[in-house]
Amino acid sequence: MTFQWTAVAAFLYGEIGVILVLCLPFISPLRWQKIFMIPLWSKMAVFWNKMFLTIIVLLIVLFLDAVREVRKYSAVHVNEKAANVNTNAFDHIQMKLFRSQRNLYLSGFSLFLWLVLRRTITLLTQLAKGMASHAALETQVNDATEAAKKYMAENERLQEALSEKGSSKKKESAEATDEKLKKEVEHLKAELQSTSDALHKANNEVTAVKKQSEGLKREYDHLMKEYERLQGSLNEAEDKKDQ
């Protein structure tokens, strides 16, 4: 295996390892966000898009080269088999074809997993932001509820005080204060309702992101099963060639 294909294979194994770590259930998206906020990662994030596009271009070039090699040696393999050439030349062509197919799988899966890795990181970041927004909205709702209860209790105390005093002047003043308190309570109720609506919307967004993460995980599991099946087929082909 030449240097570039050794590097692609190592890159593929690294991608598999990173995706498996990102899918660990006991590491929450909020913890991943804290890890991504480390100064070292923040400095690397500046070059992330350029690095991503560069690796995409390299993998596409290698994948197209592997496709070309597979088509080339597939045609030679058929011609040599039809011509009934000697066994050594036929085995050599078969070995070249096997290597080109292996390189095709390596570059193809590396390209696909690189896209999956970027999407996984994006979903984790969005889910972490949604969870943080959800927690902030819950805190805001609790504060608004406590404030509304406090104003309502004050309003009840003022009403009790008004019932004990018979002075019309004091009644008018108390009624004005009571009206003001009622307006404040109505304002707080409206604020509480808007905050509740925002919380419900945030919950829906978090649920949608979780569903996307579950779909991505199922797709990744299916990809790993397909990769294991192809790897087994390649191993069987290599065993037959060695025999």
Side-chain angles (χ1 to χ4, degrees), residues 69-75 77 92-102:
E69 291 291 325
V70 169
R71 296 182 63 182
K72 171 184 174 183
Y73 289 114
S74 295
H77 176 74
H92 181 72
I93 296 300
Q94 194 174 18
M95 180 187 66
K96 292 286 188 180
L97 178 61
F98 170 76
R99 288 180 177 175
S100 61
Q101 290 174 342
R102 177 202 61 197

Side-chain angles (χ1 to χ4, degrees), residues 13-223:
Y13 298 145
E15 286 178 323
I16 294 173
V18 171
I19 292 177
L20 287 175
V21 172
L22 290 175
C23 292
L24 291 176
F26 55 84
I27 303 179
S28 65
L30 290 175
R31 187 174 295 275
W32 279 120
Q33 188 182 32
K34 290 179 181 179
I35 294 175
F36 295 151
M37 293 302 292
I38 294 176
L40 177 62
W41 293 111
S42 300
K43 293 179 181 179
M44 292 178 61
V46 179
F47 307 99
W48 168 248
N49 290 328
K50 294 181 180 179
M51 181 180 68
F52 174 78
L53 294 176
T54 302
I55 293 177
I56 283 290
V57 171
L58 291 176
L59 290 176
I60 290 175
V61 170
L62 291 173
F63 179 75
L64 294 177
D65 181 65
V67 171
R68 182 185 63 82
E69 291 291 325
V70 169
R71 296 182 63 182
K72 171 184 174 183
Y73 289 114
S74 295
V76 174
H77 176 74
V78 173
N79 294 333
E80 292 292 341
K81 188 174 182 180
N84 294 323
V85 296
N86 60 63
T87 306
N88 291 332
F90 182 75
D91 290 341
H92 181 72
I93 296 300
Q94 194 174 18
M95 180 187 66
K96 292 286 188 180
L97 178 61
F98 170 76
R99 288 180 177 175
S100 61
Q101 290 174 342
R102 177 202 61 197
N103 295 339
L104 177 64
Y105 292 137
L106 287 175
S107 57
F109 277 112
S110 296
L111 178 60
F112 181 75
L113 287 181
W114 185 240
L115 296 173
V116 171
L117 180 62
R118 179 182 175 88
R119 183 59 178 167
T120 302
I121 293 175
T122 302
L123 287 176
L124 283 174
T125 304
Q126 291 177 354
L127 183 58
K129 290 180 179 179
M131 293 174 68
S133 176
H134 179 268
L137 286 173
E138 281 188 345
T139 303
Q140 188 175 358
V141 167
N142 292 332
D143 293 342
T145 303
E146 293 296 329
K149 290 180 178 179
K150 180 181 178 181
Y151 280 115
M152 290 177 68
E154 291 180 355
N155 186 24
E156 290 178 357
R157 287 196 299 269
L158 285 174
Q159 287 179 352
E160 292 176 357
L162 285 173
S163 63
E164 295 176 356
K165 297 179 180 179
S167 173
S168 60
K169 184 177 181 180
K170 290 184 178 179
K171 275 188 177 181
E172 291 177 359
S173 177
E175 286 177 358
T177 305
D178 185 48
E179 186 66 25
K180 182 179 179 181
L181 286 173
K182 285 182 179 180
K183 291 181 180 179
E184 290 180 356
V185 169
E186 291 296 329
H187 175 71
L188 286 172
K189 286 182 178 179
E191 184 179 354
L192 179 60
Q193 182 63 36
S194 62
T195 307
S196 299
D197 294 339
L199 177 61
H200 180 69
K201 183 179 178 181
N203 284 330
N204 292 335
E205 292 178 354
V206 171
T207 303
V209 173
K210 285 183 178 178
K211 289 182 179 178
Q212 290 181 357
S213 299
E214 291 174 357
L216 183 61
K217 186 176 180 181
R218 288 194 298 269
E219 182 180 352
Y220 173 74
D221 293 336
H222 175 71
L223 177 63

